[in-house]
Amino acid sequence: MKIISRRNFNSLTAKGLGGAALLSSAPFACAMGANQDKKKLGIALVGLGSYSTYQLAPALQDTQYCYLAGIVTGTPEKEKIWADKYGIPEKNIYNYQNFDDIANNEDIDVVYVVLPNSMHAEFSIRAAKAGKHVICEKPMGISVEECTAIIEACNEAGVKLGMGYRLHSEPYTQQVKEYVKEKTFGDILFVSADAAYRSTGNPDQWRLNKEMSGGGALMNMGVYAVQSTIYGTGENPISVAAQEFSTRPDYFKDTDETITAQFKFPSGAVGNITTSHNFNANAMYASGTSGWFRLQPANNYGPLSGETSNGDTIKFPHESQQKLQMDDFARHVLFDEPNKAPGEMGKRDMMIVEAIYRSIANGGETIALDFEPGYGFGG
């Protein structure tokens, strides 16, 4: 598979991507080796698309343990816009060519890679080699091999690695995990999860370009559904069989439109997922030996909502999931608190994704999955 890199990305999409710069007024900047003495970590966003623009950057205005420290962008026009809006000094604005110079910037502690999937590995590895902690958006890469390379680079550099899995930091998902751990509704027998939206916009967007995305709905929304079955049972699956459907081949020319998959778990529980770029779906449901619980919506930016068979409503005050996620990672770096979404979780999920694609290629064959107990589970 051809890899889209910083050198050919701009010729394939008109969208600018972003990178790193620091708030001139941000306090407590110091060297990477003294993170324990800092009250806030400086985060540089690499990729200034809609997620950085409308979710991450606003959330970083409310975080307690980190702040927007910089940007990396291949679009010069965005430099002034972001600098003016967030007070980012020119010395902390980078592009893809000079990105490696970020190693010399003591104000930036964490690099958050928010680029198209095929660029995750390159910039995560470059960030690690620059001595910066790394948050990588999902999916971790476009292959298990890339995920392994990211983990090894971070280990070799002695930096922390986290996935941009926001749901592990928000209270509804934490409540689901508690139900499962405490067996509130008995042993889980069945779990289903749906994660989908209808794409009707630009057919030339990078998410519909397999070279850049690595896949379609499964690589995008499907990761949420896969994860829901895992924390909905408290186990990693031991096998998967999958099917693919397409009703709009004129639009989804290069990537998967709709995928369903069936999982088996060590306890005997079974699970189903559905993911699509052709319709809206957003739910998870788990049935146990003494009741059930469900979230609907289950995986959007919130507010989420849920209920249980005992008549309870699952309800929490809404907070930015991105704010909670980035503060959790900052606490992991600053105070050695558990990493709720470690790199191994991203690699595990890519192993499952590859198994699903392999099952589809083999006509729905059941593919065995083999994980060490608890592999990929965060703190």
Side-chain angles (χ1 to χ4, degrees):
M1 178 178 291
K2 180 181 177 183
I3 303 300
I4 303 299
S5 73
R6 59 186 169 85
R7 286 171 287 276
N8 55 18
F9 174 59
N10 285 338
S11 66
L12 291 170
T13 178
K15 291 186 176 181
L17 298 170
L22 286 173
L23 291 171
S24 57
S25 60
F28 313 117
C30 66
M32 278 287 296
N35 278 335
Q36 66 272 19
D37 298 324
K38 298 186 71 170
K39 292 183 173 61
K40 280 193 172 187
L41 298 180
I43 292 185
L45 297 177
V46 184
L48 304 186
S50 61
Y51 193 59
S52 287
T53 300
Y54 301 112
Q55 302 298 329
L56 295 178
L60 282 165
Q61 308 314 299
D62 297 323
T63 41
Q64 184 176 357
Y65 297 101
C66 52
Y67 65 96
L68 178 59
I71 55 170
V72 181
T73 181
T75 306
E77 295 80 7
K78 291 187 177 183
E79 294 180 7
K80 178 173 173 51
I81 294 173
W82 281 68
D84 290 347
K85 185 171 184 178
Y86 294 110
I88 300 171
E90 183 177 355
K91 72 181 183 70
N92 297 323
I93 298 174
Y94 298 85
N95 56 47
Y96 301 135
Q97 287 68 44
N98 67 11
F99 172 77
D100 299 316
D101 293 341
I102 206 170
N104 302 316
N105 193 323
E106 295 182 347
D107 296 324
I108 295 175
D109 305 292
V110 181
V111 168
Y112 196 147
V113 179
V114 203
L115 295 163
N117 305 340
S118 62
M119 303 172 76
H120 287 183
E122 177 188 352
F123 279 85
S124 294
I125 292 169
R126 288 171 68 180
K129 289 181 176 180
K132 307 303 180 182
H133 303 296
V134 179
I135 303 176
C136 180
E137 253 311 304
K138 61 85 187 162
M140 191 173 181
I142 60 173
S143 69
V144 173
E145 182 181 14
E146 286 193 350
C147 298
T148 300
I150 294 171
I151 292 172
E152 290 179 349
C154 289
N155 287 340
E156 290 173 6
V159 298
K160 306 287 190 180
L161 169 63
M163 291 298 302
Y165 284 160
R166 54 189 166 78
L167 293 176
H168 287 272
S169 293
E170 64 83 31
Y172 291 86
T173 300
Q174 292 176 353
Q175 180 66 76
V176 165
K177 292 180 180 181
E178 184 177 342
Y179 286 154
V180 174
K181 181 180 179 181
E182 300 298 326
K183 295 185 180 293
T184 306
F185 300 96
D187 296 323
I188 300 300
L189 303 174
F190 170 76
V191 61
S192 67
D194 306 321
Y197 68 85
R198 181 169 170 80
S199 176
T200 58
N202 177 15
D204 297 322
Q205 62 184 278
W206 70 261
R207 289 196 182 279
L208 302 182
N209 180 329
K210 191 173 182 179
E211 289 188 37
M212 301 177 73
S213 64
L218 180 62
M219 293 283 280
N220 183 19
M221 300 303 293
V223 174
Y224 295 117
V226 168
Q227 287 227 330
S228 290
T229 66
I230 292 172
Y231 55 70
T233 59
E235 302 178 286
N236 286 324
I238 57 175
S239 70
V240 63
Q243 306 79 36
E244 180 181 351
F245 306 93
S246 179
T247 58
R248 295 166 59 202
D250 55 326
Y251 184 81
F252 300 103
K253 298 176 182 179
D254 199 31
T255 58
D256 46 281
E257 172 195 311
T258 301
I259 284 178
T260 58
Q262 302 80 47
F263 295 101
K264 291 182 180 179
F265 296 89
S267 65
V270 295
N272 293 334
I273 70 163
T274 301
T275 186
S276 180
H277 277 162
N278 193 44
F279 56 80
N280 296 319
N282 187 343
M284 73 91 62
Y285 169 86
S287 178
T289 52
S290 59
W292 54 264
F293 57 88
R294 67 182 173 198
L295 297 180
Q296 189 171 6
N299 52 57
N300 62 6
Y301 298 154
L304 306 183
S305 182
E307 59 182 339
T308 74
S309 57
N310 60 19
D312 290 340
T313 298
I314 306 173
K315 190 72 174 177
F316 296 96
H318 176 62
E319 291 186 90
S320 163
Q321 297 167 353
Q322 292 79 9
K323 178 191 80 170
L324 297 172
Q325 168 212 323
M326 289 186 285
D327 264 344
D328 276 345
F329 184 75
R331 281 193 292 266
H332 170 59
V333 173
L334 288 167
F335 313 122
D336 202 29
E337 291 189 10
N339 189 348
K340 292 187 175 180
E344 288 76 11
M345 183 181 289
K347 179 179 176 179
R348 176 203 63 191
D349 295 346
M350 184 53 56
M351 293 170 71
I352 295 171
V353 165
E354 286 193 353
I356 289 173
Y357 281 134
R358 188 159 66 251
S359 174
I360 292 169
N362 294 337
E365 175 187 0
T366 297
I367 305 296
L369 295 163
D370 186 17
F371 299 102
E372 292 294 326
Y375 181 81
F377 283 78

